[in-house]
Amino acid sequence: MRNVLIVDAANVVGSVPDGWWRDRRGAAERLRDRLAARDEGEEIVLVVEGAARGVGSVPGVRVEAAPGSGDDLIVELAEARVHDGCSVVVVTADRELRERVRAHGARCVGPRAVRPEG
């Protein structure tokens, strides 16, 4: 079974007050690069929205820019990958989003699962 990690970039980046609001795109790129360094054999999808649109994919991380709501795109991606028979984990602290993706069979973890220790 293929493992898929779908990351809510805005929620994860916003989980630590490190000045991300001054450079949202740069913060999303740093998160993408941390995710690319993971070596857990999973498919990783980083969902960006707003000022972070335009962040490109890198080997190991596919970046999906939400045309509207990032949450809606995350739900759509999670539903599709669960339907494909994948084990899907969504990284977010957003309670409403967690409920929406769980309704489609995805699991959820909080931002600490992908944030650097500190």
Side-chain angles (χ1 to χ4, degrees):
M1 177 180 289
R2 180 109 172 126
N3 294 321
V4 180
L5 187 71
I6 301 174
V7 181
D8 179 352
N11 189 268
V12 172
V13 164
S15 68
V16 175
D18 61 1
W20 59 264
W21 52 90
R22 290 188 291 270
D23 182 12
R24 293 170 194 252
R25 183 176 174 157
E29 288 172 340
R30 288 187 297 278
L31 173 58
R32 176 205 58 201
D33 295 346
R34 280 195 310 274
L35 292 168
R38 289 171 62 103
D39 187 21
E40 298 185 25
E42 64 211 342
E43 174 186 343
I44 301 174
V45 182
L46 179 65
V47 176
V48 297
E49 62 187 344
R53 284 190 195 104
V55 170
S57 297
V58 297
V61 179
R62 186 175 87 240
V63 178
E64 292 279 343
S69 164
D71 289 2
D72 289 346
L73 179 57
I74 290 167
V75 172
E76 179 183 316
L77 293 168
E79 179 182 17
R81 298 307 278 146
V82 167
H83 180 73
D84 291 342
C86 297
S87 173
V88 177
V89 175
V90 174
V91 182
T92 188
D94 182 313
R95 287 186 183 137
E96 181 181 331
L97 177 57
R98 284 174 170 245
E99 290 175 18
R100 291 176 65 194
V101 297
R102 283 181 180 142
H104 294 288
R107 292 185 308 113
C108 297
V109 295
R112 289 183 190 163
V114 297
R115 295 284 311 188
E117 303 257 344

